[in-house]
Amino acid sequence: MRERLTAPGSQVLSPTHHSLAWGVPAGVVPGTLHVLAVTGGITVSPQEGRAILFGRNRPDVHVCVGENDRRISRLQGRLTHSADRWWVSTTGRLPLRLPGSRLLFHQDEPIPLATGYTPMFVRGSSGREHLIEVHVQSGEAERPPTAHEAATQPPNTWALSPAERLALIVLGQRYLLHEVYPNPLSWRQAALHLNEIRPDEEWTHKKVEHLVLGVRTRMSRGGVTGLTREEVGEPVGNTLNHNLIRELLETTTLVPPDLRLIGYEE
């Protein structure tokens, strides 16, 4: 049954409360937990052993999620305070989807939440996505200063040679074309396309592979994860090149207008 919340600072959040992504009030005890769904939520101070429950069965949870969607479990998940941290675990049949597309299943061990904002999703019936917003209060010393008037900091792009850039645009063209489920081209497909647009450069699948491997190695040494066989395990498939292209897109190293270099019009 629902825990009686009597700790100082605990309060119910109404369904009309603004998204936790917009931030939470300053001056609250560090470690305070804020949880919000479309039906409302809760703010609770940290206390060893405290558990906040969320799921479909409104009478027996602190935060109701998907109350009219029978795909969501009556008790879908739990947020527990232990060892000065909040931990999230899945208790329902469906996994929680966390940032980075990580899926947390009920068989998995609880994982710690970082301070700040964490969105969690559960996929329900008919493609519905149910959002549980979580925000763990940071200390004032951790809160970054406001920067309203500061110049925007550009993303850190990766340096590529002209040949590397060309090969990667061809390899990742399905991503740049915004296909719904993109995959990298194979080495042979990329070489065929490159020979069509640059016939004098004598592209082979080995040449494409060598260039891309050099970029992956360089970026892996620069701190990007998911670019080596040791990290992703076997079978590798397209995973390494998929992760590579995603990183290049997210850092704006490659952008859709680059498609002009391989013959696509605006």
Side-chain angles (χ1 to χ4, degrees):
M1 292 295 292
R2 184 193 299 243
E3 175 192 351
R4 293 182 60 84
L5 299 172
T6 58
S10 297
Q11 67 180 73
V12 172
L13 301 179
S14 75
T16 59
H17 193 280
H18 64 74
S19 169
L20 299 182
W22 295 1
V24 295
V28 180
V29 175
T32 294
L33 179 72
H34 312 259
V35 189
L36 184 66
V38 295
T39 57
I42 194 169
T43 292
V44 59
S45 57
Q47 180 177 311
E48 182 70 19
R50 170 159 284 160
I52 300 301
L53 312 177
F54 57 91
R56 174 166 52 87
N57 192 17
R58 182 187 288 270
D60 291 336
V61 296
H62 299 88
V63 179
C64 184
V65 179
E67 62 182 336
N68 58 0
D69 189 339
R70 293 180 60 188
R71 287 289 181 91
I72 306 303
S73 294
R74 286 168 289 184
L75 177 57
Q76 180 62 44
R78 183 190 308 268
L79 295 152
T80 306
H81 192 265
S82 176
D84 293 325
R85 301 194 72 172
W86 286 99
W87 303 72
V88 59
S89 58
T90 299
T91 53
R93 292 186 178 184
L94 294 173
L96 290 172
R97 190 174 79 250
L98 304 174
S101 297
R102 176 172 183 174
L103 294 177
L104 182 65
F105 293 86
H106 70 86
Q107 302 96 332
D108 296 337
E109 292 293 321
I111 62 172
L113 290 170
T115 56
Y117 179 72
T118 301
M120 306 188 297
F121 295 87
V122 187
R123 179 179 293 179
S125 57
S126 303
R128 296 171 63 187
E129 294 274 357
H130 299 277
L131 169 65
I132 307 101
E133 295 185 276
V134 179
H135 194 291
V136 179
Q137 194 90 20
S138 63
E140 290 301 315
E142 301 175 69
R143 190 181 291 266
T146 59
H148 300 153
E149 301 297 327
T152 301
Q153 183 176 350
N156 294 319
T157 58
W158 294 93
L160 301 173
S161 71
E164 290 172 341
R165 178 173 297 278
L166 186 66
L168 285 162
I169 292 169
V170 168
L171 191 74
Q173 61 187 273
R174 293 169 177 164
Y175 298 77
L176 294 167
L177 288 166
H178 304 296
E179 291 189 8
V180 179
Y181 301 112
N183 276 307
L185 268 61
S186 69
W187 303 128
R188 292 186 185 280
Q189 289 172 320
L192 283 171
H193 193 160
L194 286 160
N195 279 318
E196 289 175 2
I197 60 175
R198 301 287 182 92
D200 296 334
E201 297 180 10
E202 299 182 350
W203 289 89
T204 66
H205 70 279
K206 286 294 186 183
K207 180 178 179 180
V208 177
E209 183 178 4
H210 176 75
L211 281 171
V212 173
L213 177 59
V215 176
R216 282 207 318 253
T217 300
R218 195 163 69 240
M219 290 171 58
S220 178
R221 290 172 179 167
V224 180
T225 58
L227 300 184
T228 67
R229 288 178 175 269
E230 293 74 20
E231 289 173 302
V232 306
E234 299 290 349
V236 171
N238 285 328
T239 303
L240 300 181
N241 284 342
H242 171 81
N243 293 344
L244 170 67
I245 294 166
R246 292 293 304 179
E247 172 67 16
L248 293 172
L249 293 176
E250 290 176 9
T251 58
T252 68
T253 303
L254 297 183
V255 293
D258 288 334
L259 288 166
R260 291 186 301 231
L261 293 176
I262 61 172
Y264 286 92
E265 300 296 331
E266 288 281 359

